[in-house]
Structure formats: structure tokens, C-alpha cells
Amino acid sequence: MSKKHIVLVGLMGSGKSVIGRYLARSLQLAFTDTDEVIVDREAMSIPEIFEKAGEEGFRKVESEVIANVVLSKPRVIATGGGVVTQPKNLEYLRDSGRIYYLKASVNCLAERIQQDHNRPLLKNADPYEVLQKLLVERSSLYEEADKIIKVDGKTVEEISNSIAQDFSQTS
């Protein structure tokens, strides 16, 4: 299978959805946000899914969605922040696409998500502390990406152009 998808991974707040939409528009590709697919499929918000099925139940649904999405026509795929915690997800994504890790500092991430109440892993917790912990836990998994894109201080357009240029040179 050829590397037909552009896959964005990174912690919550790294810009996967915003950059993914912009990138897909500029490259005239379809766009899929796996979290949105999960919400549509389950007819519940992500916090509701976490509450009802726990993180394990959410990750099971996420893996099913990933396995399905990679079979579609070429597109930009924005994944949930924890997608890398399931080895089979990385395998599906790597086999069908080029993975870009949108790497942001904890300060940048915390600033971006401070008003977002749709983050179950941050519920009743210090966002900075949780983000720091998640970054330590997941960093090595994110860094298995084909390319690391540092996003701090860059515009959506700059990041998208960097990904588009790299993808055109490697596909």
C-alpha cells in the first residue's frame, strides 16, 4: 500500500485539527478528524464516552475508526492525542500514510487548551501538570513519526506549507 495519507499526531492542543483542515483545503484533499468520527459514530461526546466506557473503551472505538479511515481515499487525518498509545494504531497509520508529529511545548499546549472543557484527561486536574506527564509518557511514541514539526510560534500556514512540501517530496 502506498503512503497516501498525511497523518497528524501530537498532544491535545498541538493544532492537529486546525492544521489538518487548512492543509486538506490547500492540497484539495479530504479531511478526517478521528475524534469527530468517534463522536458521530457513538452519538456521544468524548467526555461522555470516557465516562461511560472508560479510556479503554474509548481506545477500542478509536482503533476501529483508525482501521476504517486508513482504507479511504487519500486524505489528511487528524488523530486524537492518545492514538499513539495503541501499537496497532501506529501500525495502521504508518502502513498507509506519512506521519507528522506536531510538537509543541507544554506552555504552548496549556495556553491553547485552557478554555476547552471537552478534554476528559484534564477534568479536575492542573492542565500544565497533566500535559507535562502526558508529554513524558508519549514523547518517544510521537517521535516515531516520519517527520517532527515544531509548532511553537509558527502560523497554521507555515506549518501546513512545511508538511505539504515534505509530503510532495516523499510521496
Side-chain angles (χ1 to χ4, degrees), residues 107-126:
N107 287 339
C108 176
L109 296 167
E111 186 179 305
R112 288 179 177 183
I113 63 172
Q114 64 186 349
Q115 299 303 317
D116 189 342
H117 303 291
N118 200 31
R119 309 283 183 176
L121 294 178
L122 298 180
K123 192 175 180 185
N124 305 318
D126 173 8

mmCIF file of all heavy atoms in Angstrom, residues 107-126:
data_model
loop_
_atom_site.group_PDB
_atom_site.id
_atom_site.type_symbol
_atom_site.label_atom_id
_atom_site.label_comp_id
_atom_site.label_asym_id
_atom_site.label_seq_id
_atom_site.Cartn_x
_atom_site.Cartn_y
_atom_site.Cartn_z
ATOM 1 N N ASN A 107 3.967 24.783 27.629
ATOM 2 C CA ASN A 107 3.410 26.135 27.787
ATOM 3 C C ASN A 107 2.457 26.469 26.642
ATOM 4 O O ASN A 107 1.373 27.010 26.860
ATOM 5 C CB ASN A 107 4.524 27.192 27.852
ATOM 6 C CG ASN A 107 5.266 27.170 29.166
ATOM 7 O OD1 ASN A 107 4.768 26.674 30.170
ATOM 8 N ND2 ASN A 107 6.469 27.701 29.162
ATOM 9 N N CYS A 108 2.869 26.167 25.430
ATOM 10 C CA CYS A 108 2.053 26.423 24.249
ATOM 11 C C CYS A 108 0.748 25.622 24.329
ATOM 12 O O CYS A 108 -0.343 26.149 24.106
ATOM 13 C CB CYS A 108 2.840 26.055 22.994
ATOM 14 S SG CYS A 108 1.925 26.209 21.448
ATOM 15 N N LEU A 109 0.850 24.342 24.654
ATOM 16 C CA LEU A 109 -0.323 23.472 24.742
ATOM 17 C C LEU A 109 -1.297 23.959 25.809
ATOM 18 O O LEU A 109 -2.505 24.050 25.580
ATOM 19 C CB LEU A 109 0.101 22.030 25.053
ATOM 20 C CG LEU A 109 0.944 21.331 23.993
ATOM 21 C CD1 LEU A 109 1.546 20.043 24.557
ATOM 22 C CD2 LEU A 109 0.134 21.056 22.748
ATOM 23 N N ALA A 110 -0.763 24.272 26.989
ATOM 24 C CA ALA A 110 -1.607 24.712 28.106
ATOM 25 C C ALA A 110 -2.344 26.000 27.755
ATOM 26 O O ALA A 110 -3.536 26.146 28.060
ATOM 27 C CB ALA A 110 -0.758 24.902 29.367
ATOM 28 N N GLU A 111 -1.661 26.905 27.082
ATOM 29 C CA GLU A 111 -2.280 28.166 26.675
ATOM 30 C C GLU A 111 -3.426 27.922 25.685
ATOM 31 O O GLU A 111 -4.484 28.523 25.780
ATOM 32 C CB GLU A 111 -1.218 29.067 26.045
ATOM 33 C CG GLU A 111 -1.706 30.457 25.710
ATOM 34 C CD GLU A 111 -0.591 31.303 25.123
ATOM 35 O OE1 GLU A 111 0.467 31.429 25.784
ATOM 36 O OE2 GLU A 111 -0.791 31.828 24.010
ATOM 37 N N ARG A 112 -3.202 27.018 24.747
ATOM 38 C CA ARG A 112 -4.199 26.745 23.714
ATOM 39 C C ARG A 112 -5.458 26.053 24.242
ATOM 40 O O ARG A 112 -6.533 26.235 23.691
ATOM 41 C CB ARG A 112 -3.598 25.871 22.616
ATOM 42 C CG ARG A 112 -2.602 26.599 21.752
ATOM 43 C CD ARG A 112 -2.045 25.658 20.718
ATOM 44 N NE ARG A 112 -1.127 26.328 19.817
ATOM 45 C CZ ARG A 112 -0.557 25.741 18.796
ATOM 46 N NH1 ARG A 112 -0.807 24.477 18.526
ATOM 47 N NH2 ARG A 112 0.271 26.405 18.027
ATOM 48 N N ILE A 113 -5.322 25.222 25.255
ATOM 49 C CA ILE A 113 -6.483 24.435 25.689
ATOM 50 C C ILE A 113 -7.102 24.908 26.995
ATOM 51 O O ILE A 113 -8.047 24.285 27.482
ATOM 52 C CB ILE A 113 -6.132 22.933 25.809
ATOM 53 C CG1 ILE A 113 -5.084 22.712 26.873
ATOM 54 C CG2 ILE A 113 -5.720 22.358 24.484
ATOM 55 C CD1 ILE A 113 -4.833 21.265 27.177
ATOM 56 N N GLN A 114 -6.628 26.019 27.538
ATOM 57 C CA GLN A 114 -7.103 26.449 28.850
ATOM 58 C C GLN A 114 -8.612 26.671 28.927
ATOM 59 O O GLN A 114 -9.215 26.463 29.974
ATOM 60 C CB GLN A 114 -6.343 27.672 29.335
ATOM 61 C CG GLN A 114 -6.533 28.917 28.484
ATOM 62 C CD GLN A 114 -5.629 30.052 28.935
ATOM 63 O OE1 GLN A 114 -5.015 29.977 29.984
ATOM 64 N NE2 GLN A 114 -5.536 31.090 28.126
ATOM 65 N N GLN A 115 -9.249 27.044 27.832
ATOM 66 C CA GLN A 115 -10.692 27.290 27.837
ATOM 67 C C GLN A 115 -11.510 26.126 27.273
ATOM 68 O O GLN A 115 -12.721 26.215 27.153
ATOM 69 C CB GLN A 115 -11.012 28.564 27.046
ATOM 70 C CG GLN A 115 -10.366 29.825 27.600
ATOM 71 C CD GLN A 115 -10.728 30.085 29.051
ATOM 72 O OE1 GLN A 115 -11.871 29.944 29.448
ATOM 73 N NE2 GLN A 115 -9.731 30.449 29.850
ATOM 74 N N ASP A 116 -10.828 25.029 26.917
ATOM 75 C CA ASP A 116 -11.508 23.893 26.302
ATOM 76 C C ASP A 116 -11.960 22.908 27.379
ATOM 77 O O ASP A 116 -11.140 22.316 28.063
ATOM 78 C CB ASP A 116 -10.555 23.204 25.316
ATOM 79 C CG ASP A 116 -11.242 22.147 24.473
ATOM 80 O OD1 ASP A 116 -12.336 21.691 24.846
ATOM 81 O OD2 ASP A 116 -10.671 21.775 23.440
ATOM 82 N N HIS A 117 -13.265 22.726 27.492
ATOM 83 C CA HIS A 117 -13.806 21.846 28.530
ATOM 84 C C HIS A 117 -14.172 20.471 27.977
ATOM 85 O O HIS A 117 -14.870 19.711 28.616
ATOM 86 C CB HIS A 117 -15.015 22.508 29.192
ATOM 87 C CG HIS A 117 -14.683 23.847 29.763
ATOM 88 N ND1 HIS A 117 -13.871 23.997 30.865
ATOM 89 C CD2 HIS A 117 -15.004 25.099 29.365
ATOM 90 C CE1 HIS A 117 -13.718 25.289 31.129
ATOM 91 N NE2 HIS A 117 -14.390 25.983 30.225
ATOM 92 N N ASN A 118 -13.695 20.157 26.779
ATOM 93 C CA ASN A 118 -14.010 18.892 26.125
ATOM 94 C C ASN A 118 -12.815 17.936 26.180
ATOM 95 O O ASN A 118 -12.630 17.120 25.297
ATOM 96 C CB ASN A 118 -14.425 19.160 24.670
ATOM 97 C CG ASN A 118 -15.204 18.013 24.082
ATOM 98 O OD1 ASN A 118 -15.911 17.310 24.787
ATOM 99 N ND2 ASN A 118 -15.068 17.824 22.782
ATOM 100 N N ARG A 119 -12.013 18.060 27.236
ATOM 101 C CA ARG A 119 -10.794 17.259 27.375
ATOM 102 C C ARG A 119 -10.901 16.390 28.631
ATOM 103 O O ARG A 119 -10.542 16.817 29.718
ATOM 104 C CB ARG A 119 -9.559 18.158 27.485
ATOM 105 C CG ARG A 119 -9.429 19.206 26.406
ATOM 106 C CD ARG A 119 -8.945 18.628 25.115
ATOM 107 N NE ARG A 119 -8.758 19.673 24.113
ATOM 108 C CZ ARG A 119 -8.275 19.448 22.925
ATOM 109 N NH1 ARG A 119 -7.936 18.240 22.559
ATOM 110 N NH2 ARG A 119 -8.146 20.437 22.056
ATOM 111 N N PRO A 120 -11.369 15.152 28.498
ATOM 112 C CA PRO A 120 -11.606 14.320 29.682
ATOM 113 C C PRO A 120 -10.365 14.048 30.529
ATOM 114 O O PRO A 120 -10.476 13.919 31.743
ATOM 115 C CB PRO A 120 -12.163 13.015 29.115
ATOM 116 C CG PRO A 120 -12.011 13.072 27.657
ATOM 117 C CD PRO A 120 -11.772 14.485 27.262
ATOM 118 N N LEU A 121 -9.196 13.994 29.917
ATOM 119 C CA LEU A 121 -7.992 13.730 30.694
ATOM 120 C C LEU A 121 -7.582 14.929 31.552
ATOM 121 O O LEU A 121 -6.747 14.794 32.436
ATOM 122 C CB LEU A 121 -6.836 13.319 29.781
ATOM 123 C CG LEU A 121 -7.012 11.989 29.049
ATOM 124 C CD1 LEU A 121 -5.817 11.715 28.145
ATOM 125 C CD2 LEU A 121 -7.212 10.838 30.021
ATOM 126 N N LEU A 122 -8.179 16.091 31.289
ATOM 127 C CA LEU A 122 -7.850 17.287 32.071
ATOM 128 C C LEU A 122 -8.910 17.614 33.121
ATOM 129 O O LEU A 122 -8.764 18.571 33.871
ATOM 130 C CB LEU A 122 -7.685 18.501 31.142
ATOM 131 C CG LEU A 122 -6.567 18.412 30.120
ATOM 132 C CD1 LEU A 122 -6.519 19.667 29.268
ATOM 133 C CD2 LEU A 122 -5.231 18.174 30.798
ATOM 134 N N LYS A 123 -9.964 16.824 33.156
ATOM 135 C CA LYS A 123 -11.067 17.085 34.069
ATOM 136 C C LYS A 123 -10.559 17.090 35.518
ATOM 137 O O LYS A 123 -9.909 16.155 35.961
ATOM 138 C CB LYS A 123 -12.142 16.002 33.889
ATOM 139 C CG LYS A 123 -13.445 16.320 34.560
ATOM 140 C CD LYS A 123 -14.474 15.251 34.228
ATOM 141 C CE LYS A 123 -15.783 15.580 34.910
ATOM 142 N NZ LYS A 123 -16.756 14.521 34.708
ATOM 143 N N ASN A 124 -10.858 18.155 36.235
ATOM 144 C CA ASN A 124 -10.482 18.290 37.648
ATOM 145 C C ASN A 124 -8.977 18.126 37.892
ATOM 146 O O ASN A 124 -8.564 17.539 38.882
ATOM 147 C CB ASN A 124 -11.245 17.273 38.516
ATOM 148 C CG ASN A 124 -12.732 17.376 38.341
ATOM 149 O OD1 ASN A 124 -13.274 18.478 38.278
ATOM 150 N ND2 ASN A 124 -13.405 16.245 38.240
ATOM 151 N N ALA A 125 -8.185 18.619 36.990
ATOM 152 C CA ALA A 125 -6.735 18.483 37.141
ATOM 153 C C ALA A 125 -6.053 19.766 36.692
ATOM 154 O O ALA A 125 -6.634 20.596 36.009
ATOM 155 C CB ALA A 125 -6.245 17.309 36.305
ATOM 156 N N ASP A 126 -4.792 19.895 37.092
ATOM 157 C CA ASP A 126 -3.970 21.018 36.655
ATOM 158 C C ASP A 126 -3.505 20.713 35.230
ATOM 159 O O ASP A 126 -2.714 19.783 35.018
ATOM 160 C CB ASP A 126 -2.773 21.163 37.594
ATOM 161 C CG ASP A 126 -1.766 22.194 37.121
ATOM 162 O OD1 ASP A 126 -2.036 22.927 36.130
ATOM 163 O OD2 ASP A 126 -0.684 22.284 37.740
#
